[in-house]
């Protein structure tokens, strides 16, 4: 009986392991991601507020034409250093659909700080129809949805037209674009969205393609995990506490056993 149980368990573990492996193989991008440094990487890393603000500017001026961020509200922007008045002004530039009103009709109004970044399309079908049949996904949690998400977004944005990992030239059907970093095959329906000097940064930073890609990746990382810094600080506190507790227990043990000698 026990023998059978062990065998069943072993088989179950093997199957789980295999399917996880297969899922990783299918989900992993074809080409190894580019080596890019973010201030928020590592156990003590924090977001670079200036980079995240620049990244928001890129999202606002470029990406928001196609991608919504339905889990980020304008008022969250105060967490990356915008003042309440700035947030009000940013929100007012957008129009959101609200309602129904007393006549049962939906109506448009300027966005308020409590509104979320809207999708630019009224529904997924319209989004797909305007983008060669593939709806641009919501970007709120994108850096969490892809392994190594910040480096992934950076590599994707700067990796158009590159050769594959073995150095082979890649080709794609009409309406899709070569990108060896894309998770599902190397042909992506998003046209290269950024280029050098596409935006003019409010803080005067030179807007190279690589700078733009890295800033918008940092912004997306913040959007997906705004509480990361608190999580890391808590980790450090827990470790310090455990060290303190270990010392205390060691001294207590010595004292108690010391009496027996
Ligand atoms: C003209 C419309 C358009 C613009 C502008 C645009 N995208 Fe996209 N994006 C798309 C479409 C369409 C897809 C879906 C591609 C696919 O699945 O083949 C997509 C997919 C993505 C993905 C998901 C890739 C994946 O792994 O599934 C990311 C990340 C992304 N876009 C980031 C950005 C960023 C960042 C910007 C701004 C710098 C941007 N996009 C601007 C249309 C756009």
């Amino acid at each position: 009986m026990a023998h059978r149980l062990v065998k069943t368990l072993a088989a179950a573990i093997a199957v789980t392991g295999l399917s996880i492996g297969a899922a990783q193989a299918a989900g992993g991008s074809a080409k190894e991601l580019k080596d890019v440094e973010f201030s928020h990487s590592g156990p003590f890393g924090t977001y670079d507020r200036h980079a995240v603000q620049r990244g928001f500017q890129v999202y606002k001026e470029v990406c928001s034409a196609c991608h919504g961020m339905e889990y980020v509200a304008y008022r969250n922007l105060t967490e990356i250093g915008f003042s309440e008045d700035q947030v009000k002004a940013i929100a007012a530039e957008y129009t959101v659909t609200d309602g129904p009103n007393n006549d049962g009709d939906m109506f448009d109004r300027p966005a308020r700080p409590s509104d979320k970044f809207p999708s630019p399309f009224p529904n997924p079908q319209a989004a797909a129809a305007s983008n060669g049949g593939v709806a641009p996904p919501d970007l709120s949690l994108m850096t969490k949805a892809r392994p190594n998400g910040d480096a992934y977004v950076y590599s994707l944005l700067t990796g158009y037209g590159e050769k594959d990992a073995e150095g082979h030239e890649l080709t794609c059907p009409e309406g899709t674009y070569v990108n060896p970093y894309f998770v599902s095959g190397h042909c992506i329906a998003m046209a290269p969205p950024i280029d050098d000097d596409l935006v003019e940064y409010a803080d005067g930073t030179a807007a190279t393609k690589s700078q733009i890609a890295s800033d918008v990746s940092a912004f997306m990382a913040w959007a997906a995990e705004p509480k990361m810094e608190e999580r890391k600080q808590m980790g450090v506190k827990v470790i310090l506490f455990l060290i303190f507790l270990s010392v205390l227990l060691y001294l207590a043990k010595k004292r108690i056993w010391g009496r027996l000698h």
Side-chain angles (χ1 to χ4, degrees):
M1 188 65 194
H3 184 66
R4 273 244 302 275
L5 187 69
V6 169
K7 258 176 114 174
T8 319
L9 272 178
I13 290 169
V15 168
T16 322
L18 277 180
S19 48
I20 290 175
Q24 276 170 348
S29 53
K31 201 166 165 181
E32 202 178 318
L33 299 181
K34 298 187 187 190
D35 205 5
V36 49
E37 272 295 314
F38 290 103
S39 71
H40 59 261
S41 315
F44 305 109
T46 54
Y47 292 120
D48 172 349
R49 293 288 182 278
H50 297 290
V52 174
Q53 285 197 12
R54 286 194 301 269
F56 167 67
Q57 190 186 339
V58 175
Y59 169 75
K60 180 167 156 273
E61 292 178 13
V62 186
C63 323
S64 70
C66 296
H67 295 278
M69 291 183 99
E70 62 170 338
Y71 297 114
V72 186
Y74 295 105
R75 64 173 168 220
N76 295 131
L77 294 173
T78 54
E79 295 161 27
I80 56 171
F82 287 101
S83 72
E84 303 220 341
D85 287 336
Q86 282 172 317
V87 168
K88 272 192 198 138
I90 291 168
E93 290 172 32
Y94 289 81
T95 305
V96 294
T97 307
D98 201 350
N101 61 15
N102 290 342
D103 298 326
D105 297 325
M106 302 301 279
F107 58 93
D108 286 346
R109 61 162 174 78
R112 293 192 281 258
S114 56
D115 286 314
K116 309 278 170 67
F117 294 1
S119 163
F121 303 101
N123 54 59
Q125 287 76 2
S130 315
N131 285 284
V134 191
D138 187 90
L139 292 184
S140 318
L141 298 173
M142 187 53 75
T143 60
K144 289 274 164 200
R146 302 280 176 267
N148 229 334
D150 41 16
Y152 172 73
V153 173
Y154 176 85
S155 306
L156 189 75
L157 292 177
T158 56
Y160 278 92
E162 285 185 15
K163 297 183 175 141
D164 73 3
E166 284 90 46
H168 300 305
E169 215 50 81
L170 297 165
T171 52
C172 283
E174 177 95 25
T176 60
Y177 305 83
V178 169
N179 196 317
Y181 300 95
F182 184 39
V183 281
S184 10
H186 59 263
C187 297
I188 185 165
M190 168 168 71
I194 58 167
D195 219 331
D196 286 336
D197 299 316
L198 184 64
V199 296
E200 195 177 321
Y201 278 133
D203 68 3
T205 304
T208 58
K209 188 161 139 184
S210 158
Q211 181 75 43
I212 295 175
S214 136
D215 290 342
V216 79
S217 306
F219 168 68
M220 286 169 61
W222 166 77
E225 200 184 356
K227 302 270 180 265
M228 177 208 68
E229 292 164 351
E230 284 148 55
R231 172 169 65 76
K232 286 180 179 171
Q233 277 168 11
M234 180 53 81
V236 171
K237 280 184 205 155
V238 168
I239 300 288
L240 287 178
F241 173 75
L242 287 177
I243 293 172
F244 169 73
L245 188 70
S246 308
V247 171
L248 208 67
L249 287 175
Y250 173 72
L251 293 177
K253 183 232 161 214
K254 261 185 89 168
R255 182 129 183 219
I256 292 164
W257 286 86
R259 285 197 219 123
L260 291 176
H261 291 306

